Amino acid sequence: MAFLAMRGVDKRFGGVIALRDASLHAERGEVHGLLGANGSGKSTLNKILTGVVAPDRVDITIDGRPAAISGPHDAHGHGVAAVYQELSLIPDLSVTANLVLASEDARLGFLRRRADRERAAEVLGRFAAAFPGGNLPLDVPIGNLSPGEQQVVEIAKAVARRPNILVLDEATASLYSAQVEVVFEVVRELKAAGTLVIFPSHRLGEIFELCDRATVLRNGELAGEVTLADTSESELVELMVGSLARPAGRGHQVATQERAARLEVSGLATDRLRDIDLSVRAGEVVGLGGLAGQGQSELLNALFGSTRVRQGTMEVDGRPELPRHPKRAVTAGLALVPGDRTREGLLPVRPILENLTVPSLRRRSRFGVLSHEREREAARSAAEQLQIKYGSLDDGVMTLSGGNQQKVVVGKWLLTEPSVVLLDDPTKGIDVRAKQELYELITALTTDGVAVLLNSSDDDELLGLSHRILVFFEGRIVAELTGDGLTAERLVAAALQVASA
Amino acid sequence: MNTAQLRERMQAVEARDLLRHPVVLSLLVLVALFAAGNVAAPGFASFGSLTNVLRIAAFLGVIAAGQTIVILGGGEGIDLSVGKIATFSTVIVAQVSQGQDERLLLAIVTAFAYCGLIGLGNGIGVAYLRIPPLVMTLGMVGVVTGIIRVYSGGQPEGRAPAMLSALVNGTTVGGIRGSVWIWLVVAVFTIWLLRGTTFGRRVYALGANRRAAELSGINLQRNLVLLYVASSLYAALGGMLLLGFAGAASINLADQYQLISIAAVVIGGTTLAGGVGGYLGTAVGAVVLQTMRNLLIVLDIPAAGRQVVNGIILIVLLSLYGRQRRLRQ
């Protein structure tokens, strides 16, 4: 019987199955990797272990005894401690105060600051090499530390609880390599002392360096449990992707190669992006792939003028154009379907009509006076083209279903007749039918010669729609997939920066 | 369900929705106020009394039009300086015209120009310096107070030209005063501005979701500035009408409108969060407030008591709206 066993884990989010009969087995004194492509259910699984997500069904035993975990507090009680990428530290408090938070040493209600400080020093001491000169910043407010240093404090805080099971969820993402080494050293010590460390990561290199065994998830199911010493990188990638045959994408379509570039970008950089060069031809769909959050959204926002661009040039239909704000981008012929529908795409309290016509008001007005008839006509045609199901154009936009709301966000741009359309995960959280209709729309746009840049969290969708895929890693384009290279294996391998798969 | 039944049901739903509509609600409150007043003091609901309410409510109605636009634009938009700007306008018109009809046009243009500049200041502060509207416009109250003191030497000279007084106070058919007609024109214009122009659409879009509006290609900062300029121009116009009514300027003639303009907007059903509402509601709100005031005077309630009752009625109305909005979600 394994020290930690999670069996029969099911979890649905609405209509989406995140986990189906998944499982995980790990022993004391082991570093156990957790792997999977985007949407494989990896983070859901470890959030179930730490009590952040409530599963539909699960059977957890720790050290042979059944463990009911229905909240972070329960997880705590069973000796599980977790470190997430999102920090749980309080920026205005000092490092010491954060480390002893909620477990302050007090006598009769009075804090014993010296004792707290000593305890904090002891905890953080193991990580001393992660800080400049090995000096522990005990009295510095957390907010003044670099993101990497904050992450180290976060890890120290979890280690201080002396957990039996420590979950390090992508905990190395913001660390410098020297800091990673320090953390790994501590992890090895913990392992030697009999702690189980669960290590979900996208960085295959780190998995191989640190882990003994790994659990691989695919589409919410267990794809395999491997001993890393006997496994190659390409075997791991294959486990993650599976050998499913996928419908051929558009990579074989070469017709667009003849056509003129509508969008040309070179040397673009922002706070998070570096050296972005790309070009999109008329009628071409270029996909932005890679792990989630590697700069794909940032690029779309930068091109649209809603994120500050540090340097670089951009041309739309041959005209130099680097929008400083979205209004300029719209005038230049760009359209952005943002990633967060309700926060960035919709005017929630306004009618469908107004939502559809906002970006194109100028076309249907003279000296600022609207033509109501033309406006209504335009809105109706967009709604028809997208097959939006609505009662009246005057109904509030939030009365629509999620899929139809998204169609409104897309439809408003049809009315501006853009030359370049930027789609940031346009089918996230919408039903299959609406998805299909949006796919048809993308095809229709390309037939009309529009250039499309598509970011998607769904790799299948990306492969199915794109003529080419640019793969992002940490703010740079690290690979370009074309033609026969448009396969799930290549995409995952490139996303994980594996040499060949 | 057959079509007849369906139609019936839809009509029932519409009737219920209509009753929940803030404009309808505040109209009902208005009718109730007149009915109550008529019981307390027969003649309160007479035509003459009604036109008298409208005549005075016009000043608030005009000033609150600008307030409506700023609040609709969202982002915690509010203009606390409308009262002081209106006062400034009365002082400018009185001093520049010196009570002479031939200098009236010059006086009006001057007042619009200066007040517009103050609105521009508010707009730049909010849009470019990112000062919260509450803070910016409250600060502006202080600035304008100082400007008025310097400009008038603490004692405004001049008076309303006869032509202006005649325009505001003159009696037309049925005893309706000039200010009511002017307000009607302002109201029609404002409703058209909000519903029939690109500017109006942008105001609603900004109020509904500022980020989405910006990502739809609306120039956020320029439109924010326009909101506050528009508000100050309405305030200036309101001040001019008030001068025509009062005859002479003082250094605080219109100050009271700072807060009741917001009350009128809110009673009219425009949400302080922005994006929902319109001027029709504000106009009704202005009449409600004026009627309430008259009623309390008729009931012979002392000034302090009037303020208390005013406040309570406002809170009751707002809680009604709040309930209705929850029900809809």
Side-chain angles (χ1 to χ4, degrees), chain A residues 352-353 356-357 360 363-364 372-390 392-393 407-408 410-417 441 444-445 448:
Chain A
I352 301 167
L353 175 80
L356 279 170
T357 56
S360 57
R363 290 167 174 251
R364 271 158 283 282
H372 284 286
E373 257 164 60
R374 285 170 58 204
E375 185 189 17
R376 203 161 273 275
E377 191 44 52
R380 209 174 285 131
S381 79
E384 218 159 87
Q385 193 178 342
L386 276 156
Q387 304 166 48
I388 298 172
K389 283 153 204 78
Y390 63 94
S392 154
L393 285 175
K407 287 193 217 162
V408 169
V410 177
K412 67 181 177 186
W413 293 115
L414 296 181
L415 300 175
T416 67
E417 294 165 29
L441 176 78
L445 285 175
D448 292 344

Side-chain angles (χ1 to χ4, degrees), chain A residues 5 57 111 133 153 157 178 197 249 275 281 309 320 429 447 460 474 481:
Chain A
R57 186 169 70 95
L111 294 178
V153 174
K157 190 176 150 192
V197 180
D275 309 326
R281 297 167 192 282
V309 172
T447 314
D460 289 346
E474 293 183 350
L481 307 181

Side-chain angles (χ1 to χ4, degrees), chain B residues 147-173:
Chain B
I147 294 176
I148 290 174
R149 278 191 194 284
V150 171
Y151 185 83
S152 67
Q155 190 62 52
E157 290 164 14
R159 44 178 297 109
M163 198 192 282
L164 181 61
S165 295
L167 210 60
V168 174
N169 300 320
T171 313
T172 63
V173 262

Side-chain angles (χ1 to χ4, degrees), chain B residues 166-255:
Chain B
L167 210 60
V168 174
N169 300 320
T171 313
T172 63
V173 262
I176 296 171
R177 305 295 185 133
S179 62
V180 179
W181 296 115
I182 295 173
W183 184 22
L184 188 67
V185 172
V186 169
V188 169
F189 170 79
T190 307
I191 290 171
W192 170 79
L193 183 72
L194 285 172
R195 293 191 187 168
T197 67
T198 53
F199 172 71
R201 275 301 154 72
R202 290 183 184 132
V203 171
Y204 280 109
L206 285 174
N209 185 344
R210 195 159 274 193
R211 174 87 179 137
E214 204 182 357
L215 287 178
S216 296
I218 290 178
N219 188 328
L220 175 66
Q221 287 162 331
R222 196 176 66 196
N223 282 285
L224 274 183
V225 171
L226 284 178
L227 292 184
Y228 287 90
V229 171
S231 173
S232 62
L233 294 180
Y234 275 106
L237 178 61
M240 291 168 201
L241 300 183
L242 198 61
L243 177 68
F245 175 73
S250 73
I251 55 168
N252 56 11
L253 189 61
D255 288 6

Side-chain angles (χ1 to χ4, degrees), chain B residues 21 32 42-43 48 51 63 72 89 140 164 174 194 234:
Chain B
H21 197 284
T51 55
I63 292 173
L72 277 177
S89 167
M140 196 54 99
L164 181 61
L194 285 172
Y234 275 106

Side-chain angles (χ1 to χ4, degrees), chain A residues 50 187 191 288:
Chain A
T50 56
V187 166
K191 170 182 152 181
L288 307 178

